[in-house]
Amino acid sequence: MEETQKKQIVLSAVQPTGTPTLGNYLGAFKNWKMMANDMQEEYDCFYAVADLHSITVRLKPADLRRQTLEMYAFLLALGIDPEKNVVFIQSHVPEHAQLAWILNCHTQFGEASRMTQFKDKSEKHPENINVGLFSYPVLMAADILLYQADYVPVGDDQKQHLEITRDIAERFNGIYGDVFTVPKPFIHKAGARVMSLQDPTKKMSKSDTNVKGFISMLDDDSTIMKKVKSAVTDSEAKVYHGEGKDGINNLMEIYSCCTGKSFEEIEKEFDGKGYGDFKSAVGEAVIEELRPVKEEYLRLMGDKGYLMKCAAEGAEKAEYFARRTLRKTMKKVGFLQL
Ligand code: ATP
Ligand code: LTN
């Protein structure tokens, strides 16, 4: 990657907390891939496995290790070229934790307390409300600001974390002069919030205890079809996008993302047909959408040596940029330079 190029910088990350879902794929990964591949001339992309973030919830060490490599394999399986982009594992670049400390000291307790993800996760894990969970968005801000990112492609649930990142960056720049690029969220409306198949008022989440609520990217074809067929809908038996039709709206959104069809086209396609036909079509579309990624993932998992080599190269490239920003930040704050 040419350092002198005037491309916009893109950064995003995913936690290795389990097998990614269709929500991660449609809300984030699809856009990551588009920015890294189809819009390669415009963007330099940095994508990370956020393993430091994932220990805010208690994980077994062996699971963390395995899931980190698996998530890394998923990123490459999307078709993101590790030669042309920087694909790395967060904990391999110690500057993330270092910058996070400095940013912690420039973040107000009050503003961090307002984060809805913190409130949700505290409710979910009342036995382990650790300080890391509280300062999670500050580490996320460090991830983004270290690379001077212009855009951060994420799902809708991360909007608030992007807002606090922007506030921290602006505050910091206000005190010390221009240090950080103030990043913008990149949230593609379609797929930004894929809902649970069992409770379409809640977002689809890989940590949902009810496995019927989410489609895992490794589910086999018949499991995907079964989950879609048992998705909660309504009793109207008419396919259209409307109020009070959360289940159908969600399936239409999924179908639209996988096929590129608009809601009007979908309504026409299923005019006079029941939910059974519609669900079969959605199931087929999801199966076809995930198939190539799943196949490539399984192939890559058979070559761990290659994955480790890519991770090492990614870490080296990422650190080059991260070190530069951290040095500049420390100098501005007034740390004695050697
Ligand atoms: P967890 O379920 O463990 O809390 P998560 O899947 O919500 O994790 P990440 O894995 O860190 O969180 O999310 C990675 C990316 O996927 C983020 O950009 C997030 O916004 C996006 N994402 C996650 N779930 C959905 C969803 N249901 N719809 C759209 N985007 C999503
Ligand atoms: N908090 C994010 C994951 C994440 C992230 C980031 C996203 C960690 N660091 C930096 C974008 C940029 C989530 O999706 N739960």
Side-chain angles (χ1 to χ4, degrees):
M1 184 178 297
E2 280 286 325
E3 199 204 317
T4 46
Q5 282 171 339
K6 276 273 169 282
K7 291 189 192 173
Q8 302 266 17
I9 295 175
V10 170
L11 176 131
S12 201
V14 56
Q15 300 186 74
T17 39
T19 307
T21 67
L22 182 67
N24 296 126
Y25 178 78
L26 297 178
F29 291 171
K30 244 190 137 176
N31 295 327
W32 295 16
K33 179 180 160 186
M34 178 186 71
M35 293 175 113
N37 293 4
D38 315 342
M39 301 165 93
Q40 207 183 91
E41 303 306 313
E42 286 168 63
Y43 300 120
D44 275 336
C45 299
F46 293 79
Y47 296 127
V49 177
D51 54 348
L52 295 175
H53 278 102
S54 67
I55 66 161
T56 49
V57 173
R58 200 63 64 225
L59 279 176
K60 288 202 186 94
D63 289 346
L64 173 59
R65 236 181 328 266
R66 180 179 45 77
Q67 288 170 196
T68 301
L69 193 68
E70 286 172 356
M71 191 56 88
Y72 191 82
F74 266 111
L75 300 191
L76 299 195
L78 293 170
I80 294 169
D81 184 346
E83 299 271 328
K84 297 195 179 120
N85 304 279
V86 183
V87 189
F88 67 104
I89 293 164
Q90 186 190 31
S91 67
H92 293 165
V93 184
E95 284 79 1
H96 288 248
Q98 289 174 280
L99 182 63
W101 172 253
I102 298 175
L103 299 183
N104 265 318
C105 300
H106 293 81
T107 305
Q108 294 306 303
F109 191 86
E111 65 185 335
S113 313
R114 286 194 290 274
M115 296 296 112
T116 52
Q117 184 172 303
F118 170 68
K119 291 184 207 160
D120 292 349
K121 297 237 159 156
S122 314
E123 268 169 36
K124 251 190 185 168
H125 304 278
E127 74 299 342
N128 184 21
I129 307 176
N130 58 75
V131 177
L133 193 64
F134 184 71
S135 74
Y136 177 112
V138 183
L139 178 60
M140 179 163 159
D143 298 341
I144 298 167
L145 301 180
L146 265 183
Y147 300 93
Q148 307 288 357
D150 297 286
Y151 290 105
V152 184
V154 281
D156 187 61
D157 61 309
Q158 294 301 309
K159 216 169 166 178
Q160 204 187 23
H161 286 163
L162 256 294
E163 275 158 22
I164 195 173
T165 301
R166 289 169 59 85
D167 290 344
I168 296 169
E170 279 167 359
R171 179 175 313 135
F172 207 93
N173 289 347
I175 302 173
Y176 303 103
D178 267 354
V179 181
F180 299 124
T181 301
V182 180
K184 295 181 208 58
F186 180 99
I187 302 174
H188 211 274
K189 201 170 162 279
R193 198 171 180 79
V194 179
M195 308 310 273
S196 157
L197 298 177
Q198 289 301 308
D199 179 357
T201 61
K202 277 197 340 223
K203 101 172 173 146
M204 183 182 282
S205 166
K206 57 176 132 62
S207 42
D208 194 337
T209 45
N210 182 357
V211 296
K212 285 168 87 186
F214 61 86
I215 292 174
S216 144
M217 287 183 68
L218 289 183
D219 279 345
D220 59 35
D221 296 359
S222 70
T223 306
I224 295 177
M225 191 54 93
K226 249 188 254 153
K227 285 184 180 178
V228 173
K229 290 232 160 162
S230 63
V232 169
T233 52
D234 52 72
S235 54
E236 199 182 3
K238 188 166 162 49
V239 178
Y240 69 93
H241 205 273
E243 218 168 291
K245 292 182 73 76
D246 296 330
I248 289 296
N249 293 348
N250 190 35
L251 292 178
M252 284 181 76
E253 183 98 21
I254 292 171
Y255 190 60
S256 168
C257 286
C258 295
T259 59
K261 292 177 187 168
S262 67
F263 289 160
E264 294 84 74
E265 286 171 312
I266 300 170
E267 281 169 22
K268 222 178 267 163
E269 185 178 349
F270 295 98
D271 189 23
K273 296 187 183 152
Y275 287 167
D277 288 342
F278 176 53
K279 284 178 166 177
S280 296
V282 176
E284 278 306 325
V286 172
I287 289 167
E288 288 316 312
E289 181 76 19
L290 297 183
R291 191 194 308 282
V293 186
K294 189 160 53 184
E295 284 173 2
E296 181 60 2
Y297 167 83
L298 294 172
R299 193 188 70 77
L300 285 166
M301 282 306 284
D303 193 352
K304 300 223 166 85
Y306 172 73
L307 291 173
M308 291 305 287
K309 179 176 143 292
C310 291
E313 286 170 5
E316 199 180 318
K317 285 197 270 180
E319 191 159 24
Y320 170 80
F321 293 93
R323 200 180 293 136
R324 214 167 50 171
T325 303
L326 183 70
R327 257 207 216 117
K328 184 175 170 193
T329 311
M330 292 184 75
K331 200 167 161 196
K332 291 273 193 181
V333 173
F335 288 108
L336 183 65
Q337 309 274 296
L338 273 179

